[in-house]
Amino acid sequence: MRVTILRTTSLGALLAVALVLPAFGQGGVDRVDSNTERLPLHTVIPDYPEVARRDRVEGSVQVCFNISRSGYPRRIAVRHSTSRVFEKIAKKAVRQSTWKPLPDGEQESGIKACRTFRFSLVPVTRDEPD
Amino acid sequence: MKIRHISYWVLLVTAFLLLASPELAANEESKVVIGPRNALLADGANALLAGNGVEGVRLTLRGLEMAQGEVERKMGHSNLCAGYILIDKPRTALPHCNWVLERYPNHWRTYNNRALVYLRLERFEESEADIARGQELSPSSRNLKIAKGMLLDETDPVRANVEIDERRSAMEDASDDPPND
């Protein structure tokens, strides 16, 4: 299985946070942003679900979550999904991932981070190794 | 040629036939029947269920010799179709599958088994046709979905790819692609 991870630069992360900050405190405002300044420590890559591979189903899932001070994801939820078959495994991958703990004195941002998982199938020739 | 999980779902097909046998016997006659009428056929199905293809085929062949009525013959040939696949004799399995389908053209389980036979013989178009016919008869069959996946793995193999995107507009990027579900 081939795996790719795309990340924004830290500057991009800070900019994204700044764009969301004015919305704090407003009732009903969705405080979701799709990236975070928190540094990933251990990123779990989900396996392609066997049923989806068998049925040739491709798709994407965006999972959003908070990151605790100690670096563990909290309040994990699917925000967008093209196929339910990928949702459980994407949430599990986030649940098992960790981020660098915040140093003492630094405040938690409270902003949700989001991670999008894209599942795709690439045609191969018979002789090509998996 | 690699064919994965073949024994697993062939056995599921035979399981149905085993469980059906006492009930069928009871329905045909207006008396209480305890246990299967043709014990050899039932024991053969049991052996196939346990993964013992050689013994399952042997018992089923004996049971078929003393089969009474069309239902028992159908069971026997259908289980032989599955049993010979289990012991990797697809050419021997094929006439038994054909026997069932010539008389019972709506028997989706035998379409499933014959699709496996064709797959083993690398007769992919015939395998695809049997899967399609089986799915017309039983659209939600898990066995047929697995068979179709195995066929696709032979004819159109794919490599799984997972991409993690933490960019700001990751999902919007993905939504540009046409849905494939």
Side-chain angles (χ1 to χ4, degrees):
Chain A
M1 189 173 72
R2 186 166 290 174
V3 175
T4 311
I5 302 178
L6 301 173
R7 290 207 174 100
T8 52
T9 60
S10 56
L11 178 63
L14 291 171
L15 177 61
V17 172
L19 288 170
V20 176
L21 280 171
F24 282 6
Q26 295 175 22
V29 174
D30 193 358
R31 302 193 314 181
V32 169
D33 193 270
S34 57
N35 69 41
T36 174
E37 72 275 26
R38 299 291 295 271
L39 188 69
L41 209 56
H42 174 62
T43 299
V44 171
I45 313 295
D47 287 333
Y48 208 102
E50 181 52 34
V51 170
R53 199 198 66 81
R54 181 195 75 194
D55 294 344
R56 301 300 193 263
V57 176
E58 299 177 293
S60 305
V61 182
Q62 188 174 49
V63 181
C64 297
F65 49 93
N66 291 106
I67 303 169
S68 69
R69 288 193 61 84
S70 53
Y72 290 95
R74 296 281 180 265
R75 300 176 67 195
I76 303 164
V78 171
R79 184 166 161 79
H80 293 293
S81 163
T82 60
S83 176
R84 293 196 65 180
V85 72
F86 301 114
E87 292 179 8
K88 193 174 172 184
I89 202 159
K91 283 171 72 177
K92 187 179 174 189
V94 168
R95 195 177 304 121
Q96 293 176 336
S97 297
T98 56
W99 284 259
K100 195 173 178 184
L102 282 178
D104 288 342
E106 195 166 323
Q107 290 291 315
E108 267 185 70
S109 74
I111 299 170
K112 277 185 183 281
C114 292
R115 189 169 267 187
T116 299
F117 298 87
R118 290 203 195 94
F119 297 85
S120 60
L121 296 166
V122 184
V124 292
T125 58
R126 270 178 184 273
D127 299 331
E128 187 178 334
D130 288 340
Chain B
M1 186 176 70
K2 284 187 293 181
I3 295 189
R4 284 167 269 183
H5 309 309
I6 195 163
S7 56
Y8 175 66
W9 38 291
V10 167
L11 290 177
L12 286 178
V13 172
T14 56
F16 171 81
L17 296 168
L18 171 68
L19 294 172
S21 58
E23 186 187 337
L24 286 170
N27 286 344
E28 283 176 2
E29 298 170 22
S30 56
K31 62 183 179 185
V32 176
V33 176
I34 300 171
R37 192 168 62 182
N38 189 325
L40 286 167
L41 277 183
D43 289 348
N46 260 333
L48 292 173
L49 273 171
N52 190 343
V54 173
E55 182 66 0
V57 166
R58 187 186 71 79
L59 290 168
T60 305
L61 282 170
R62 284 186 58 201
L64 194 56
E65 284 172 13
M66 54 187 67
Q68 292 176 22
E70 195 71 359
V71 172
E72 286 190 8
R73 275 190 282 276
K74 174 186 166 188
M75 280 179 57
H77 285 288
S78 185
N79 282 0
L80 284 174
C81 169
Y84 279 120
I85 300 169
L86 197 59
I87 58 175
D88 202 19
K89 290 186 173 177
R91 285 179 211 287
T92 314
L94 189 55
H96 294 287
C97 309
N98 289 340
W99 189 98
V100 178
L101 291 175
E102 281 162 14
R103 290 161 182 80
Y104 302 93
N106 293 329
H107 199 246
W108 71 264
R109 287 179 172 82
T110 305
Y111 282 110
N112 177 80
N113 286 349
R114 195 172 69 174
L116 281 182
V117 170
Y118 286 138
L119 189 57
R120 205 84 176 103
L121 297 173
E122 299 191 30
R123 292 162 65 172
F124 299 129
E125 287 184 9
E126 288 153 296
S127 181
E128 187 176 9
D130 272 1
I131 291 167
R133 178 72 182 126
Q135 287 187 320
E136 279 174 23
L137 297 165
S138 180
S140 59
S141 163
R142 184 172 169 270
N143 287 336
L144 285 159
K145 284 179 184 170
I146 295 172
K148 183 156 190 183
M150 290 171 72
L151 174 67
L152 288 172
D153 283 346
E154 293 300 322
T155 57
D156 301 296
V158 288
R159 186 187 63 236
N161 189 55
V162 178
E163 185 180 287
I164 299 180
D165 197 335
E166 294 184 334
R167 291 177 303 171
R168 187 174 176 74
S169 57
M171 201 66 192
E172 285 76 14
D173 289 351
S175 65
D176 292 342
D177 300 329
N180 195 22
D181 188 3

